[in-house]
Amino acid sequence: MPSSDTAEQSVLSKDAVLVAALAYLVFDLFNTWDGFRECPSPIHKWLLGSYLIVITMRLISIGVSLMTYAKSSTHALLDLRQKSRGLRVLVSLTWWVIVPLILMWTAMGTKFTWQVLTQKPDCMPSPLHLLFVILWQLVCYAWLLFYCGLGAMAWFLERRLRRTG
């Protein structure tokens, strides 16, 4: 599969940053786990689950990148008629499992965050943790918007192919 060394190094460095950031977030979460005990909802478990979803999304993206000739895994997700069985599985997994999971998990996180904010905002280990949860919620909504836009483009392209084919 055609790719340049510079592009591969860029991807590896981004993955290294992502792994380091998630490792720190998980480490911090486990170190402050008991500090969430008083919260009216298990916001810390939601955070851990969302970190695992990010890791899963990235692993699928890497798998798609390794199997496709497309410019990026994002381009590959637009093609709902993948020739390779492995790519079909990963693309289907993204659209039928990961995206709905992000939607449900973000909705649950929004509910948990709202409960914490309205019932007991001082239950968090620190005010910085509360700020981070709110920022993380915004990131989750950004992912949803990105995937909704990508899904709309994939649907539009598939519809166009069906009309011409």
Side-chain angles (χ1 to χ4, degrees):
M1 305 210 180
S3 66
S4 70
D5 290 338
T6 307
E8 288 177 16
Q9 288 174 342
S10 174
V11 168
L12 288 176
S13 64
K14 288 177 187 175
D15 285 337
V17 169
L18 179 65
V19 167
L22 286 171
Y24 173 78
L25 291 172
V26 169
F27 175 77
D28 179 65
L29 189 61
F30 282 128
N31 279 337
T32 57
W33 194 264
D34 289 338
F36 293 92
R37 194 173 344 132
E38 300 296 319
C39 290
S41 57
I43 196 84
H44 55 307
K45 293 177 182 175
W46 174 81
L47 277 171
L48 182 61
S50 66
Y51 300 156
L52 295 175
I53 291 170
V54 169
I55 292 167
T56 302
M57 286 173 24
R58 186 59 194 144
L59 289 174
I60 290 172
S61 179
I62 289 169
V64 168
S65 293
L66 292 173
M67 290 187 218
T68 188
Y69 283 103
K71 288 181 182 179
S72 71
S73 59
T74 304
H75 286 100
L77 289 175
L78 293 173
D79 184 2
L80 302 179
R81 299 179 180 207
Q82 296 291 341
K83 307 259 185 287
S84 156
R85 182 175 184 195
L87 271 174
R88 277 194 314 270
V89 167
L90 291 177
V91 169
S92 295
L93 185 66
T94 298
W95 291 118
W96 293 105
V97 177
I98 298 299
V99 173
L101 178 64
I102 294 170
L103 177 65
M104 291 185 302
W105 201 256
T106 301
M108 186 170 62
T110 301
K111 178 184 174 201
F112 289 171
T113 304
W114 182 252
Q115 287 173 339
V116 167
L117 282 171
T118 58
Q119 296 174 20
K120 199 163 184 185
D122 59 337
C123 73
M124 303 289 269
S126 75
L128 191 57
H129 283 86
L130 182 59
L131 178 63
F132 177 77
V133 166
I134 293 167
L135 290 174
W136 192 254
Q137 277 286 302
L138 293 174
V139 168
C140 290
Y141 280 106
W143 282 328
L144 278 174
L145 285 174
F146 171 76
Y147 276 108
C148 286
L150 201 60
M153 286 175 28
W155 176 79
F156 178 76
L157 291 171
E158 179 64 22
R159 196 173 115 210
R160 187 188 305 169
L161 281 173
R162 287 182 183 201
R163 284 184 178 171
T164 60

